[in-house]
Structures are given as structure tokens and as C-alpha cells.
């Protein structure tokens, strides 16, 4: 009952109450003849404490070997004690934070345990099993260099100091997909890309690189991928051994000036929609020498002996070069210079020479799938070509089923 004449008396609240709810209660003392003794009236309160015996662990994988663990909070006064089962991590093997973050030392199976203690000293024990299996790095930095290893994840989770906005004079090893989710830059860096590795720039973020060298180690890598709404600035860089050196989606913004795109299947791939340019694409070189690395597992496009083309524009609006510039873009030792498919393409002051020809020019009109030896090749596209210098065996400009 809600009232009682017993002392002591135990009462169970039947309605759900939020943690830390304050309940007022009244104690009324009566004298022997059951009349009220006014001096015996006491008003006090108590605090409802929630039971946390049902606490559970939620894990969120941030990178290949970095996890964030969260325990359900049913009372702000509870304490938390984590053990990550990773003795090699030393003092980092335990934590009293909630949520708690841990980077596991090696591949393997780890038992993560949590003890929750409430204000009354009651405890609850929970465990979770984590499997770590990270691809091994095969790239090696030069002896004595300052190394950075980035293993699949968002850049904010991969760097130790959240205030860092760039790497300078580093040897950077990238394994898997590294997502640029904050404005970030590589300056004068050697960037070793593991097989199939990728740098992906998220919407609203900017990735810049200058005087840096991106290259594969044992196999080709995927691309620097620019999502719609993202920005990439490349200046005096070398982009080497990629399936697509730069893969820019419609709605992205890029600036490419004085870079070398070397030994890529395609140097720049403009893919779907309009690709914005902060400044004209100038002074870049696109070339190969026939010495490609093996393709990575799952790679769709194989380069053969030479790169397919320097710039590929597909279902997109894109411009190469500018009339006002004295720094042309060069294309040589490729199967093709510039290719447009279902696109609006403008090519200005491109210097295209020494392309690789397999088929004879006397064969029937060729389609996008079998173009080779063409300076500028378009299929079902609108082409504007201005002041280009093209010296090739097959077609300087081949406009197949063109719109203009």
C-alpha cells in the first residue's frame, strides 16, 4: 500500500520512474492514544537509482583495427571499467571512459569486457568479441624516412592529433580506402599505395597535394576519387600506377596544374555530370612506357602495354586546357590522347603525339571500345577543339556519331 504503520517498511514503486527522480515522503509519528504529535511530522526525500544490470556493449569500427565501444547509460552516476583484452597495448588496454576508443595491436580475436558499477556498489559484467584481420602492408619506405601508415578508414580516425591538417615531408603508406572527411593536404610526400588502395574525398571537403609522388608498390592501385561536392587540388605532383589517377564525379571541383600522370590506365576520368574547375587544367603530362605493375584483385580495367588514354570524359561536361595559357597539356606514349563518350568536351591547346596504334586507319569507323592511335576521339558527343597540336598515325580528331 501507499501508506503503512510498520517500521521499518519497504515500498516498491510500481510505475516506471526516470533515473534521478526525486520522491518526497512524509513520516507522521503518533502518540499512544493515536492523536497527532505535531512535533513528530518529518518531511524528507529520496532519489530513484536505476538498475544497470542490463547494460550492453555497442561497438563501432572506425578503421581496420580501431574501435569505439559504448555502454548504455542508464544513470549518469555509474562508473565504467573497460578491458580490451589487448595486453600488448600496455596502459592503453584499460579505460574508464564511455564511450571508449581502442586501437588493437595485432590481428587476432579479442575479448572486450566491461564492468558497470552503480552508486550503491552493484556491478554488471558484459563482454564482446572482436575479430581483427587487417591486410598486411607490403610497401616499404626508404630507410630513415618519417613514416605514416593509413589503414582503411576516415582520416579523422587515422591521425593521432585531430588538429593536424596536413602531412609534410612524410613517407605515407595507404592500405584500403582512406576517406578524406576533413580538409587535408599532402606536401612533399612520398605516398605508397598498396594494391587496390584508394583515397576518397567526401562531399564538402578539400584534399590538396603538392610536390608529392603517389605510386604503387607491387600492384596497381584504384584512384584518387572525388565525390560530388568535394574538391581536389593537385599541383606539381606525380600520379603513378593507378587504374584512374584522378576519378572525378559530376558536381566535384578540381584544379590540376603541372602534374605528371604516369603509367596509369587512365590519367583523369571525368565521370557523369559537370566537373567544375577552380582554374584551367594546365601543364600536365600524360604518358606511359609500357612497364605497368600487375592489376590489383578485382580491377575492372587492364592497361595492356600502354595507358588507354590521358583523359576520359564519360557522360560529363569537361574542359582540357585554355586559350590564354602558354602551358599546354601533353599526351604521348598512350593508346589515345583524349576520349569523350556521350559528353560535352572542350579540348584546347593539347599537345598530342607518339600514340600507339594497333589497328589500321583503313579499317571501318571505330567505336569508343576499340579506339587507338587517336589524338581526340569522341562518340555521340559535342566536341569543341581549339588550337591543339596533334601528330599521330591514325586520327588527329575522330568524331564518331558526333553532335557537332
Amino acid at each position: 500500500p501507499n501508506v503503512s504503520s510498520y517500521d521499518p517498511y519497504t515500498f516498491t514503486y510500481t510505475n516506471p520512474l526516470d533515473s534521478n527522480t526525486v520522491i518526497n515522503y512524509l513520516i507522521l509519528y503518533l502518540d499512544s492514544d493515536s492523536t497527532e504529535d505535531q512535533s513528530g511530522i518529518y518531511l524528507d526525500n529520496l532519489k530513484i537509482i536505476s538498475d544497470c544490470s542490463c547494460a550492453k556493449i555497442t561497438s563501432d569500427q572506425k578503421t581496420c583495427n580501431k574501435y569505439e565501444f559504448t555502454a548504455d547509460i542508464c544513470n549518469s552516476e555509474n562508473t565504467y571499467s573497460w578491458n580490451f583484452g589487448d595486453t600488448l597495448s600496455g596502459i592503453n588496454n584499460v579505460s574508464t571512459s564511455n564511450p571508449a576508443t581502442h586501437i588493437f595491436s595485432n590481428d587476432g580475436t579479442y575479448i572486450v569486457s566491461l564492468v558497470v558499477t552503480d552508486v550503491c556498489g552493484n556491478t554488471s559484467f558484459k563482454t564482446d568479441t572482436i575479430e581483427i584481420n587487417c591486410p598486411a602492408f607490403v610497401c616499404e619506405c626508404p630507410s630513415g624516412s618519417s613514416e605514416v601508415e593509413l589503414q582503411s578508414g576516415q582520416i579523422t580516425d587515422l591521425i593521432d592529433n585531430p588538429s593536424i591538417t596536413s602531412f609534410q615531408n612524410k613517407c605515407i603508406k595507404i592500405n584500403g580506402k582512406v576517406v578524406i572527411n576533413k580538409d587535408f593536404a599532402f606536401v612533399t610526400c612520398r605516398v605508397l599505395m598498396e594494391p587496390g588502395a584508394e583515397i576518397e574525398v567526401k562531399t564538402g571537403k578539400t584534399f590538396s597535394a603538392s610536390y608529392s609522388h603517389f605510386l604503387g608498390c607491387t600492384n596497381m592501385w584504384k584512384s584518387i576519387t572525388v565525390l560530388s561536392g568535394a574538391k581536389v587540388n593537385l599541383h606539381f605532383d606525380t600520379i603513378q600506377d593507378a587504374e584512374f589517377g584522378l576519378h572525378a564525379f559530376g558536381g566535384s571541383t578540381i584544379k590540376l596544374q603541372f602534374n605528371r600522370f604516369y603509367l596509369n590506365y587512365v590519367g583523369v576520368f571525368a565521370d557523369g555530370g559537370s566537373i567544375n574547375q577552380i582554374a584551367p587544367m594546365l601543364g600536365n603530362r600524360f604518358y606511359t612506357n609500357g612497364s605497368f605493375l600487375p592489376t590489383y584483385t578485382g580491377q575492372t580495367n587492364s592497361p595492356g602495354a600502354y595507358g588507354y588514354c590521358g583523359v576520359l570524359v564519360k557522360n560529363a561536361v569537361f574542359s582540357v586546357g585554355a586559350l590564354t595559357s602558354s602551358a599546354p597539356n601533353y599526351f604521348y606514349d598512350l593508346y589515345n590522347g583524349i576520349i569523350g563518350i556521350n559528353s560535352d568536351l572542350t579540348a584546347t591547346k593539347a599537345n598530342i603525339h607518339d600514340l600507339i596504334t594497333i589497328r589500321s586507319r583503313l579499317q571501318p569507323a571505330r567505336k569508343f571500345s576499340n579506339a587507338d592511335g587517336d589524338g581526340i576521339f569522341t562518340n555521340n558527343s559535342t566536341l569543341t577543339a581549339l588550337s591543339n597540336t596533334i601528330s599521330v598515325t591514325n586520327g588527329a580528331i575522330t568524331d564518331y556519331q558526333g553532335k557537332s
Side-chain angles (χ1 to χ4, degrees), residues 258-259 281-286 320-322 325-331 348-352 387-389:
F258 303 101
N259 303 288
M281 180 176 165
L282 304 174
N284 301 285
R285 293 179 179 270
F286 300 84
V320 179
S325 171
S326 59
N329 296 288
Y330 289 89
F331 303 80
T348 306
K349 282 193 173 181
N351 189 308
I352 305 173
S387 300
N388 297 286
T389 301

Side-chain angles (χ1 to χ4, degrees), residues 180-393:
I180 305 299
N181 65 332
K182 64 177 290 186
D183 293 350
F184 210 82
F186 292 173
V187 181
T188 321
C189 292
R190 182 178 178 86
V191 187
L192 303 180
M193 306 293 286
E194 300 279 347
E198 178 182 10
I199 297 172
E200 180 184 89
V201 188
K202 290 192 70 173
T203 300
K205 305 305 175 185
T206 299
F207 175 66
S208 301
S210 56
Y211 301 96
S212 295
H213 189 178
F214 299 76
L215 70 159
C217 298
T218 59
N219 296 75
M220 298 183 74
W221 51 284
K222 189 173 182 180
S223 63
I224 298 173
T225 303
V226 198
L227 300 182
S228 179
K231 296 181 180 180
V232 162
N233 302 321
L234 300 181
H235 190 237
F236 286 103
D237 297 305
T238 297
I239 314 296
Q240 177 180 337
D241 304 319
E243 182 177 11
F244 303 112
L246 183 79
H247 189 173
F249 284 92
S252 64
T253 300
I254 63 174
K255 181 180 179 181
L256 307 177
Q257 294 190 337
F258 303 101
N259 303 288
R260 296 193 307 160
F261 291 86
Y262 176 54
L263 285 172
N264 305 297
Y265 173 72
V266 169
V268 173
F269 182 13
D271 188 3
S274 180
I275 285 78
N276 308 300
Q277 298 193 49
I278 301 171
M281 180 176 165
L282 304 174
N284 301 285
R285 293 179 179 270
F286 300 84
Y287 62 106
T288 59
N289 66 359
S291 300
F292 281 91
L293 293 176
T295 57
Y296 63 85
T297 301
Q299 183 170 331
T300 303
N301 302 287
S302 177
Y306 294 87
Y308 182 62
C309 63
V311 174
L312 172 61
V313 184
K314 188 174 182 181
N315 303 313
V317 179
F318 193 70
S319 295
V320 179
L323 278 173
T324 57
S325 171
S326 59
N329 296 288
Y330 289 89
F331 303 80
Y332 52 94
D333 290 338
L334 303 162
Y335 285 123
N336 302 280
I338 303 170
I339 288 182
I341 179 76
N342 298 325
S343 294
D344 186 341
L345 170 63
T346 300
T348 306
K349 282 193 173 181
N351 189 308
I352 305 173
H353 59 91
D354 294 323
L355 299 182
I356 310 304
T357 302
I358 298 176
R359 279 172 271 272
S360 166
R361 187 60 182 165
L362 299 177
Q363 289 181 317
R366 289 155 293 135
K367 299 182 180 181
F368 164 73
S369 59
N370 64 2
D372 68 74
D374 289 284
I376 302 173
F377 182 94
T378 59
N379 187 347
N380 196 34
S381 297
T382 298
L383 172 64
T384 302
L386 303 170
S387 300
N388 297 286
T389 301
I390 305 175
S391 177
V392 297
T393 301

